[in-house]
Amino acid sequence: MPASGSSRYPALDSYRFLAASGVVLYHYDADFLLGFSARLRTVGNLSCMVDFFFVLSGFVIMQGYRDRLGSPGAYGSFLRARLARIYPLHLVILAAYVLLAVAAHLLNVRPNHPEILAPSGLPANLLLVQAWGFLDHPSFNVPAWSISAEWFVYLLAPLVFMIVRHAGFLSSMVLASVLVAVMIAVRHALGAQDWLDSTYHFGMLRALPSFLAGAAIAEAMRRGHLRGRPSWWMAHALAVGALAVLGLDVPRELVLPVFAALIICTALADAGGAPTMMKHPILLALGEASYALYMLHVLVSIPLLAVMRSLHLIDTPWRFAFAAAAYAISIALSLLSYRYFERPVRNWLTGRPAPFAPARQSHPALRGS
């Protein structure tokens, strides 16, 4: 089993794409009035797929940077590398929303949720702090709250790494559980929304326990404390189990240990070298582009929803065709974005050569939060 910090587990990229697609379904079910959540409780809880990204992010970042944050200079290089991965696409999509707001103003069109396009939210979005409690409403590209939360845990990465190295796997997982319990209790005492629904309202705290758990998994695997050769069927069963938990009348927090187990099982199965459909080239390419899919899909749906309204197709069977078209367009744009924008710009910002080299990146960033 690979134990070094440079280990890669490509199958996790495929699960990343599937999780991002779950978030797309969650949003499109509401936006296109598909009605799946009324029949399937799981669909109404697919927003929790974002928490899978947070666990996976902690795992990946700990693997890639565990021994590379020992000085202020190294920490600065780490933050620049993370910004180079998440910020360019965020900035481009934010600019598209600003243009959308300007067009709505010039054409005297009132959006369904005008507060989302309010200029007052622009500074927080530019600074990636829109999930830090500075706003009282969703702002511009709503899914980007999780990128703000990612930026928060990146800033805390040296502290998280220190805790994981010194506390060990079990103590770190207990600490993550305690953080979850504290946030549940505090939000309940304040009469706030469930903590797994927190986004712009201190959603960055939602990411912390999951990121910590993911880092703890990576450290335990590095030390050889997590070992074995689980079958791919076990990994797939855990993925189905996560969906089952979200469909049951149980606390949604129970899905977090299932996510952790899925990452452990997938990484160990991948390291075992057994063939699997999860490493099919198409799925791996979609996994690489899943960050763009997550970031682009709501923006793609806006013009299609406008066309539906103008043609009076809302609440007709055509809504399923439009939702499918929006998903297909989002996938196509995400593949193009990763190939021709995100990867070249990241390489340029970090000084890497050969922006179109075929080699896969060693340390993938979050591609679906």
Side-chain angles (χ1 to χ4, degrees):
M1 185 191 86
S4 70
S6 61
S7 302
R8 280 294 320 279
Y9 305 101
L12 286 171
D13 282 350
S14 298
Y15 276 118
R16 193 197 310 265
F17 164 72
L18 296 177
S21 295
V23 176
V24 174
L25 177 57
Y26 170 78
H27 286 138
Y28 283 5
D29 181 65
D31 294 341
F32 287 92
L33 304 179
L34 302 181
F36 291 136
S37 60
R39 300 176 178 86
L40 296 171
R41 186 186 181 97
T42 297
V43 175
N45 287 327
L46 284 176
S47 60
C48 293
M49 290 294 108
V50 174
D51 299 279
F52 173 79
F53 299 144
F54 293 146
V55 181
L56 184 56
S57 180
F59 178 79
V60 169
I61 298 300
M62 184 69 178
Q63 270 203 313
Y65 292 97
R66 178 192 185 276
D67 300 317
R68 298 165 60 188
L69 298 182
S71 68
Y75 179 53
S77 296
F78 161 72
L79 293 180
R80 285 194 296 273
R82 304 327 306 149
L83 276 177
R85 178 64 187 101
I86 66 175
Y87 198 75
L89 184 61
H90 166 67
L91 188 61
V92 168
I93 296 176
L94 179 60
Y97 273 92
V98 170
L99 291 176
L100 191 64
V102 171
H105 176 74
L106 294 177
L107 297 174
N108 198 28
V109 174
R110 180 177 174 82
N112 288 339
H113 301 282
E115 73 280 1
I116 291 179
L117 299 178
S120 59
L122 190 57
N125 280 269
L126 287 170
L127 295 173
L128 279 180
V129 296
Q130 69 268 36
W132 294 22
F134 294 110
L135 302 176
D136 61 0
H137 55 80
S139 180
F140 291 98
N141 189 28
V142 174
W145 76 266
S146 65
I147 309 307
S148 172
E150 275 286 316
W151 180 237
F152 176 77
V153 292
Y154 291 163
L155 292 171
L156 294 181
L159 175 61
V160 172
F161 292 0
M162 181 184 69
I163 291 172
V164 166
R165 286 197 302 266
H166 289 87
F169 177 68
L170 290 179
S171 296
S172 296
M173 298 302 276
V174 169
L175 177 58
S177 300
V178 169
L179 288 174
V180 170
V182 168
M183 281 188 272
I184 292 173
V186 169
R187 294 185 72 85
H188 179 73
L190 296 175
Q193 284 181 300
D194 185 278
W195 81 282
L196 282 179
D197 291 324
S198 57
T199 55
Y200 61 88
H201 42 326
F202 299 102
M204 84 289 191
L205 296 176
R206 172 178 168 183
L208 185 56
S210 295
F211 186 86
L212 173 63
I217 292 169
E219 179 68 4
M221 293 189 67
R222 180 183 185 277
R223 296 183 181 185
H225 296 164
L226 294 174
R227 61 185 69 183
R229 290 179 178 268
S231 70
W232 282 110
W233 286 112
M234 187 179 298
H236 302 332
L238 285 168
V240 173
L243 296 177
V245 169
L246 295 177
L248 297 174
D249 187 16
V250 298
R252 290 183 297 169
E253 289 78 13
L254 293 177
V255 79
L256 299 179
V258 181
F259 285 156
L262 172 60
I263 289 171
I264 293 170
C265 192
T266 300
L268 291 175
D270 203 339
T276 172
M277 63 178 180
M278 300 306 291
K279 292 197 282 188
H280 191 282
I282 293 177
L283 270 178
L284 296 181
L286 291 170
E288 287 183 324
S290 56
Y291 172 55
L293 173 62
Y294 176 81
M295 292 288 282
L296 281 164
H297 71 275
V298 173
L299 181 62
V300 168
S301 71
I302 292 175
L304 293 180
L305 287 167
V307 170
M308 288 180 65
R309 293 187 185 97
S310 66
L311 297 177
H312 306 289
L313 295 177
I314 299 291
D315 283 335
T316 72
W318 278 101
R319 65 189 187 275
F320 297 101
F322 273 83
Y327 180 54
I329 293 169
S330 297
I331 288 178
L333 289 178
S334 67
L335 290 168
L336 293 172
S337 172
Y338 181 75
R339 179 70 173 85
Y340 295 106
F341 176 69
E342 296 166 63
R343 190 168 65 179
V345 170
R346 176 179 51 177
N347 290 336
W348 175 64
L349 291 174
T350 57
R352 295 179 182 178
F356 294 105
R360 292 171 58 81
Q361 299 298 320
S362 296
H363 311 300
L366 172 74
R367 294 170 185 155
S369 49

